[in-house]
Amino acid sequence: MGVLPKGLSSVLAKAPTDVVILSSLRTPITRSYKGHLKDAYPEELLSVVLRATLDKTPELDPSKIDDVAVGVVLSELGGSKAARMAMNHVGFNTSSTSLYTVNRACSSSLQAIASIAASIRTEAIDVGIGAGMESMTRNYGSRAIPTSYWPALKDSPVKDARDCVMPMGLTSENVASRYGVSREDQDAFAVKSHQLAAAARAEGRFKEEIVPVTTQFQEVDKAGNKVGEAQTVTVTEDDGIRPTASLEGMAKLKPAFKPDGASTAGNSSQVSDGAAATLLMRRSTATALGLGDRIIGKFVAANTVGCKPDEMGIGPAVAIPKLLGQLGLENKDVDRWEINEAFASQAIYCLRELGLEEAWKDGKVNPDGGAIALGHPLGATGARMVSTLLHGLGRTGGEVGVVSMCVGTGMGMAGVFVKE
């Protein structure tokens, strides 16, 4: 208990104490303000993936689920009351299943999964769910920057304190200018993200991980006025993907964050709505419950590191080497990488710094596109990426996968998973 495996053979070895994954599902990710989930509530989206998690493993008595951790960044009261209500609403045993929410910005739901895994590993619980939810349509009014906080921090003599509220777009510009990431490279990266995601959607690669959402949708015109009556719609696909994205189109976009900048609405992640959930338990528990054949993977380890807040996008380039070093792994041992595309600038920097440019060209990094095309619903992104990773490894036959993202205020987080 508490000892990390060391070396590829140990990482791949199976043991009764392993933290295994039985399902990893997500809603479609849709554009905030425009997409078909814009009128849905974050807890509504959470309820869909939680219910789907129970339905995916009908042999599991819901009362066996000890705890649920939900990553969420923007919801009122940290989303804790609404998330608990949503869990109770869809059939969980309220006398045996507890819930809490987690906010580690962009890595919140990866942190939720890691926290549940830690509780299982330390025998505090046997079964749990790591999830995430976000409606940026409903809750992005302040653009994720606090509107009221201790005035002394605004004028702090410590730059790294002041920089924690720097708009994320400016941190992207810092990475681009400091590390030589050109506008042309950023646009090309964004176009490829859309092309890869469009191909994945067209070929049905996301179908196994996506849970359809039936909800209300109100069409509005450009001025925000209602058009007709609200409709009941069933959303089955991500809608931010642009199959016709081109270098010419990207080049026409104006810088979004500074007049002479290189980050645009086209080469930055989309503001999005969505939810995701991953079911975890101890391998011995799965065996005892007759669920051994339901195992689709295992959680190996995760870590979080700090970096300068004004270049928070470099986080994966710091977190990944530390985690692989702790596990005695090398880049060549990893079959698939999911590295969040908060901005093309930082994603490109991380690929270069990690020595993964060839892996990206070979289709081992974000082979089904990333957040530039799919979207980035802050609290749900980590769990979404885990779902895409495990289902992707299932299709390609790989075993070891890494999920990583940068984190606002200056952090990076990474997790290692194995497909079974």
Side-chain angles (χ1 to χ4, degrees):
M1 185 169 65
V3 178
L4 292 176
K6 197 78 171 178
L8 181 60
S9 60
S10 295
V11 166
L12 295 176
K14 296 179 181 180
T17 54
D18 290 340
V19 177
V20 296
I21 295 169
L22 277 71
S23 73
S24 192
L25 304 170
R26 67 175 180 94
T27 68
I29 307 301
T30 68
R31 296 174 298 164
S32 295
Y33 311 112
K34 297 179 181 179
H36 278 94
L37 296 180
K38 72 178 181 64
D39 297 314
Y41 291 82
E43 56 272 17
E44 177 185 357
L45 301 176
L46 175 68
S47 75
V48 172
V49 290
L50 290 181
R51 182 64 246 179
T53 298
L54 296 182
D55 294 341
K56 185 74 172 178
T57 314
E59 306 93 333
L60 176 63
D61 180 351
S63 68
K64 297 293 185 181
I65 300 172
D66 299 302
D67 205 4
V68 177
V70 181
V72 57
V73 178
L74 303 172
S75 290
E76 181 185 16
L77 301 178
S80 59
K81 291 185 181 295
R84 173 71 170 169
M85 293 169 73
M87 187 198 81
N88 293 351
H89 179 68
V90 294
F92 282 70
N93 188 319
T94 58
S95 297
S96 60
T97 307
S98 54
L99 179 144
Y100 63 100
T101 56
V102 180
N103 184 352
R104 198 192 283 274
C106 308
S107 66
S108 293
S109 52
L110 179 58
Q111 182 62 63
I113 290 170
S115 295
I116 288 294
S119 292
I120 293 171
R121 190 163 279 161
T122 58
E123 301 183 1
I125 66 172
D126 296 318
V127 183
I129 294 173
M133 65 177 187
E134 206 75 78
S135 171
M136 297 183 77
T137 299
R138 290 186 175 274
N139 298 313
Y140 200 50
S142 73
R143 305 194 70 80
I145 295 175
T147 57
S148 177
Y149 57 95
W150 185 28
L153 295 179
K154 294 181 181 180
D155 302 314
S156 174
V158 180
K159 182 176 183 297
D160 287 344
R162 301 194 307 272
D163 287 345
C164 285
V165 294
M166 176 180 285
M168 294 295 96
L170 293 183
T171 72
S172 171
E173 295 290 4
N174 286 342
V175 171
S177 61
R178 290 174 188 175
Y179 302 107
V181 184
S182 70
R183 166 72 186 267
E184 292 74 20
D185 284 348
Q186 292 178 59
D187 287 349
F189 184 91
V191 169
K192 183 167 182 179
S193 182
H194 281 284
Q195 291 173 341
L196 291 170
R201 183 176 64 182
E203 294 171 15
R205 289 184 229 155
F206 296 130
K207 286 186 176 180
E208 288 190 3
E209 66 195 64
I210 288 180
V211 179
V213 178
T214 299
T215 188
Q216 292 292 298
F217 174 76
Q218 174 65 62
E219 185 179 354
V220 296
D221 60 24
K222 291 182 178 180
N225 300 310
K226 293 182 180 180
V227 177
E229 299 296 321
Q231 308 170 43
T232 299
V233 296
T234 297
V235 186
T236 61
E237 292 185 332
D238 308 313
D239 72 7
I241 302 167
R242 298 194 295 276
T244 59
S246 67
L247 288 173
E248 295 76 19
M250 289 286 176
K252 293 176 182 178
L253 297 175
K254 295 180 180 180
F257 307 108
K258 54 187 295 190
D260 59 345
S263 293
T264 70
N267 60 37
S268 304
S269 60
Q270 299 180 39
V271 178
S272 311
D273 307 322
T278 295
L279 173 65
L280 306 99
M281 64 180 67
R282 194 173 301 104
R283 190 185 296 277
S284 60
T285 301
T287 301
L289 295 175
L291 298 172
D293 61 345
R294 291 282 188 176
I295 295 171
I296 64 170
K298 73 174 179 179
F299 171 91
V300 179
N303 75 359
T304 311
V305 300
C307 61
K308 290 286 186 182
D310 73 345
E311 55 176 28
M312 63 91 205
I314 73 169
V318 186
I320 289 173
K322 180 179 178 181
L323 182 57
L324 294 186
Q326 289 173 325
L327 295 170
L329 297 178
E330 301 177 27
N331 285 2
K332 64 181 179 63
D333 298 321
V334 179
D335 298 300
R336 181 175 176 131
W337 308 77
E338 292 289 335
I339 299 177
N340 196 39
E341 300 169 357
F343 300 93
S345 62
Q346 58 80 213
I348 292 169
Y349 166 81
C350 289
L351 292 180
R352 292 174 179 174
E353 186 69 13
L354 292 165
L356 292 177
E357 289 180 283
E358 289 303 315
W360 180 68
K361 292 176 183 177
D362 292 341
K364 290 187 174 183
V365 183
N366 300 357
D368 297 323
I372 289 173
L374 297 172
H376 180 17
L378 304 176
T381 286
R384 192 283 299 170
M385 294 170 72
V386 170
S387 181
T388 300
L389 176 82
L390 290 173
H391 287 92
L393 286 169
R395 291 191 303 273
T396 61
E399 292 180 290
V400 179
V402 169
V403 169
S404 186
M405 67 282 292
C406 56
V407 182
T409 72
M411 290 179 279
M413 187 170 186
V416 171
F417 298 81
V418 169
K419 180 71 177 79
E420 295 188 5

